Amino acid sequence: GISTTATDELAALRIILKTVVSYWVLTLGAGWLALVLLLGYDKEFRLFDALFLTASSFHNAGLVTIPEGLPYNASLQSFAVLTVVMILVLVGNTCYPMLLRGVLALIRRWHPEGPGKQAITLLLRYPRTCYTHLFPADATTWLCVVTPCLVGVQFLVLMLVDYVNMGDSPGEHHSMFHGVDSRLKLLGILFQSICTRTAGLSVINLSLLSPTSAFVFCICMWTSVSPVVVMMRSTTASVYDEPHAADGSPTSQPRALTSRKEMGPVRGQLTTFMSENSALLLVLFFLILLVEEGYKTSEVARELFLSICFEFCSAYGTVGLSMSSKSYSNCGDWHPYSKIVLMVVMVMGRLRGLPDAIDPTFMLQGLAFQLDAPETSEEEDNEDSSLEAAHNTTDED
C-alpha cells in the first residue's frame, strides 16, 4: 500500500477546492456571457435575466425570470438559447463528476513535477477520500455510458409517442407537439429529455401530455440523479476500526481502506436507491388520493389520478414539473392536507441523495490506502509510481 500524510491530503483538498471554484466561476461566467449576447443586453433587465437563468440552469433549479419564458420558436436565437441552457444543465449536475475528473487529469498531465502533481495524483488515485463527487476511473466510465443512455431512451420514447405516432384527424390524439415544425419538435424533445430528470425546465405545454408520455416523465423524474448518487454510495470506501495492539491499546498505525472489490456493488446500491422508502411513499400517495377523493366528486377525482401521480413523482424527484395549464402547479388546487403530505414527499426526495454512511471525504487522518495489486489498472499503477517517486524525492531532500 501507499502511505500518505495529512499534509498530502490537505494539499489535495486545496487543489480540489480551487478546481471546483474555478469550474463554477468559469462555467457560470461563460454561460452568462453567452445568454446576454443571445437574449440581448440592450433590453430592460436582460443582464439580470441572463444571470438568473444561467445560475438556475447550472444548479438545476428550474426557475426563469424572463416574462415570456424560454424562447421556443423556429428562430436561430431560440435554438442557441436552448442549447446553452441544455449544456449548463448537463455540466452543472449529471455530467459534473465526469468533467471534473477530466479537468484534473488534464491539469496533472501538464503540471510540472513536484508536490502539486503528487497531490493531483492522490486525487485521481483515491478520489473519494477528498471529494464526494469525484469518482475512480471505472466509475466515471460507467457514468459516461449510463448518462447518455438515459437521455437517449427518453428521447426515443418521446419521439415514438409524440412525434412518429401523431394523428392529424379530429378524432385522433393530438400530442403536445401538434402543429409544430419538425425541427422544432426535435429540439423540444431533446430539451425535455435532458431537463426532465433534474432541471425542472420545460418549453412545452405539459397539460397536453399523453398518458404514455406522462408515464415516461414520471419514470425519469423518479430516477432523478440516481446514477451519480449510486456511484457516490458504491465508491464509498469502508474504513476499518482503529487497529489495536495485543494488549488492547490503540496503535499509531494509520487506518486502512478496503479495496473497491469489497465496496457496495453498483447493482445493490441502484436497487436500494430506487426502492428505498417504498412502503412509506405508497402510504403517502394513498393519503393524497384519499383526501382529494373525499373533498372532490368521484368523477373529478378519477380525472386527477394521472395529474396526482405526475405531481407526486415530480416532488419526490425534486424536479418541479407539473401538468398544469395554469400559472401555478396542479397541487395548488389540492386540499391543504394533501399539500402537507406532498411537502413531506419533497423532503424525503431531497434527503435520498445523501450518503448512507459517514463519507470518507470527512476523514483526514493520514490514511494508508491498500488496494490489491491484481485489481489495479495500468493507469493506476503509473499514478502509484509517480506518487511513490514524489515521496522518495521528498525523503531524500
Side-chain angles (χ1 to χ4, degrees):
I2 300 174
S3 298
T4 61
T5 64
T7 303
D8 296 328
E9 293 170 354
L10 290 176
L13 282 178
R14 293 190 188 98
I15 291 178
I16 195 64
L17 175 62
K18 294 178 181 178
T19 304
V20 170
V21 172
S22 300
Y23 179 91
W24 284 7
V25 171
L26 293 177
T27 304
L28 289 171
W32 184 29
L33 178 61
L35 290 178
V36 165
L37 296 177
L38 292 172
L39 293 174
Y41 57 86
D42 55 332
K43 298 180 181 179
E44 186 179 8
F45 301 120
R46 275 302 189 248
L47 287 174
F48 173 78
D49 290 338
L51 178 61
F52 192 95
L53 179 58
T54 301
S56 177
S57 302
F58 183 79
H59 296 291
N60 287 204
L63 301 176
V64 180
T65 57
I66 303 175
E68 59 273 19
L70 292 175
Y72 183 56
N73 49 59
S75 66
L76 183 61
Q77 181 201 37
S78 173
F79 175 82
V81 169
L82 294 183
T83 300
V84 173
V85 171
M86 287 187 287
I87 293 175
L88 288 172
V89 168
L90 290 174
V91 302
N93 195 334
T94 52
C95 294
Y96 171 63
M98 299 172 273
L99 294 174
L100 181 60
R101 184 175 178 88
V103 169
L104 287 173
L106 289 176
I107 294 176
R108 179 184 180 275
R109 188 180 188 88
W110 301 105
H111 199 285
E113 295 292 338
K117 190 167 187 176
Q118 172 185 340
I120 299 175
T121 302
L122 172 64
L123 278 172
L124 294 175
R125 188 66 180 88
Y126 309 105
R128 290 293 281 108
T129 61
C130 298
Y131 194 48
T132 56
H133 285 67
L134 184 62
F135 306 134
D138 52 353
T140 305
T141 303
W142 187 87
L143 282 177
C144 291
V145 174
V146 171
T147 300
C149 286
L150 289 176
V151 175
V153 167
Q154 186 179 2
F155 180 85
L156 292 176
V157 173
L158 291 179
M159 279 274 293
L160 176 65
V161 176
D162 293 288
Y163 182 69
V164 178
N165 294 334
M166 182 179 60
D168 293 325
S169 62
E172 295 182 0
H173 164 67
H174 294 287
S175 74
M176 53 189 172
F177 295 105
H178 178 68
V180 180
D181 178 75
S182 59
R183 291 176 297 179
L184 196 57
K185 292 175 186 177
L186 293 176
L187 177 61
I189 292 175
L190 179 62
F191 186 87
Q192 294 304 141
S193 300
I194 291 176
C195 297
T196 297
R197 287 194 302 117
T198 59
L201 294 169
S202 178
V203 294
I204 58 178
N205 186 359
L206 296 181
S207 64
L208 300 177
L209 278 177
S210 66
T212 309
S213 299
F215 175 77
V216 175
F217 271 63
C218 288
I219 295 298
C220 292
M221 291 186 294
W222 192 272
T223 59
S224 188
V225 293
S226 58
V228 175
V229 175
V230 167
M231 282 296 99
M232 181 176 65
R233 291 180 176 179
S234 62
T235 56
T236 299
S238 302
V239 182
Y240 290 126
D241 294 332
E242 292 289 348
H244 290 74
D247 58 358
S249 60
T251 66
S252 59
Q253 298 176 356
R255 293 183 293 178
L257 298 180
T258 63
S259 66
R260 285 199 304 271
K261 183 178 180 180
E262 299 174 359
M263 298 176 189
V266 173
R267 180 179 299 179
Q269 291 293 342
L270 181 60
T271 302
T272 301
F273 181 83
M274 297 299 295
S275 62
E276 62 183 347
N277 303 321
S278 298
L280 180 56
L281 289 171
L282 289 175
V283 172
L284 294 175
F285 185 67
F286 173 77
L287 290 177
I288 293 177
L289 293 176
L290 185 65
V291 172
E292 291 305 303
E293 187 173 352
Y295 286 89
K296 291 181 174 64
T297 63
S298 58
E299 182 179 353
V300 173
R302 282 194 294 269
E303 294 176 353
L304 288 178
F305 179 81
L306 180 60
S307 174
I308 292 175
C309 183
F310 193 93
E311 299 278 326
F312 192 88
C313 294
S314 179
Y316 189 60
T318 64
V319 177
L321 293 178
S322 176
M323 294 178 62
S324 174
S325 59
K326 307 171 186 177
S327 58
Y328 56 90
S329 175
N330 281 332
C331 63
D333 295 327
W334 291 3
H335 191 274
Y337 293 159
S338 299
K339 295 178 182 178
I340 293 175
V341 174
L342 193 67
M343 285 189 287
V344 175
V345 174
M346 287 188 284
V347 173
M348 292 174 59
R350 189 62 179 172
L351 296 180
R352 71 170 180 162
L354 296 177
D356 52 3
I358 298 178
D359 199 90
T361 303
F362 304 101
M363 301 178 182
L364 299 175
Q365 300 183 20
L367 304 180
F369 301 96
Q370 297 178 351
L371 294 178
D372 298 334
E375 296 178 359
T376 59
S377 62
E378 182 179 353
E379 177 186 356
E380 293 171 340
D381 290 339
N382 293 335
E383 293 174 356
D384 283 345
S385 301
S386 175
L387 195 57
E388 289 176 341
H391 270 295
N392 294 336
T393 302
T394 305
D395 293 340
E396 293 176 358
D397 294 340

